[in-house]
Amino acid sequence: MTQPTPEPKRLPVHVGIIMDGNGRWASQRGLPRLEGHRRGAERLIEVVDAAIDHGVRCLTLFAFSAENWKRPAEEVGGLFKLGEWVLRLHLHRLSKRHVRFSTIGDITAMPEFIRIPLEEAVAASKDNTGFELVIALNYGSRQETVKAAKQLAADAVAGKINPDAIQWDDLANRLETHGLPDPDLIIRTSGESRLSNFLLLQAAYAEIVITPTYWPDFGAEAFGAALQEYAKRERRYGMTGEQIRPTTQQS
Ligand code: FPP
């Protein structure tokens, strides 16, 4: 049975997911790691559909980190092939669900067979307004921050911005996520309790849900359970519990 949707004010607008555990899922079953990634790629689509069905507005999926190039070339190539396969198979249907598709990370370093379909998908869906699907590919939060800091420094040198007047928004507007709301919820599968260079600045006030489930077993039901867990959390943004809880004593 699928989980109920939390009431609107308890529903995250933007969810980020660190999809982890594909390798362990495969090795538990005596399967090659790529089989874990293949099953993980199928789950990815199931979770996108679940997010849309629950009324979440934006989903950012950490599909390939800037550090993942250190993996064996065969695994890296296999991951990109899976990415291209999943895109080709589901793009049309996702487009019918009004999904706007974008990427964060440096995709210029990726092979053409995936980079070109990705760029085409971004261009073809740019006017869709139903749901934002952001795929983090060759992404690292520190790399993104350095790039934004360089832009700020260049603008300061060019006299376009006064260094003393720089505010958080000036940096945030130069991050790759500019225009997107900050994530309200970050989910990490496979029980690891790390952010692993994912949306470090944007997640400053995000709630974090860690689930022991390996990504290939994390489907619509588990996503719904994570939303339920989020709905129970009290977000304080530095305030006291009394300040943020609505008063119930008025007569
Ligand atoms: C982490 O599992 C998962 C990844 C590094 C890749 C996630 C990719 C997909 C779900 C497939 C879609 C691919 C693209 C490029 C869109 P792990 O291998 O780190 O698992 P382990 O920690 O158990 O070894």
Side-chain angles (χ1 to χ4, degrees), residues 4-73:
T5 298
E7 58 175 314
K9 71 176 192 321
R10 294 259 163 206
L11 186 69
V13 172
H14 181 178
V15 179
I17 309 187
I18 304 173
M19 308 180 285
D20 195 10
N22 295 353
R24 277 164 285 169
W25 182 91
S27 71
Q28 262 188 355
R29 289 161 180 77
L31 297 168
R33 290 180 59 82
L34 270 174
E35 186 50 28
H37 292 315
R38 193 193 59 76
R39 174 69 178 260
E42 288 170 356
R43 286 300 196 187
L44 183 156
I45 292 299
E46 181 182 332
V47 170
V48 171
D49 278 320
I52 300 172
D53 293 342
H54 280 290
V56 169
R57 300 289 304 176
C58 178
L59 187 65
T60 300
L61 298 173
F62 203 5
F64 190 83
S65 78
E67 291 76 25
N68 284 152
W69 293 103
K70 295 175 196 156
R71 294 186 176 214

Side-chain angles (χ1 to χ4, degrees), residues 16-25 33 62 71 186-198 208-215 218:
I17 309 187
I18 304 173
M19 308 180 285
D20 195 10
N22 295 353
R24 277 164 285 169
W25 182 91
R33 290 180 59 82
F62 203 5
R71 294 186 176 214
I186 301 281
I187 300 169
R188 181 162 189 154
T189 60
S190 93
E192 308 291 346
S193 313
R194 296 187 285 278
L195 283 176
S196 297
N197 208 12
F198 182 57
I208 300 180
V209 169
I210 313 273
T211 162
T213 308
Y214 292 150
W215 176 253
F218 187 92

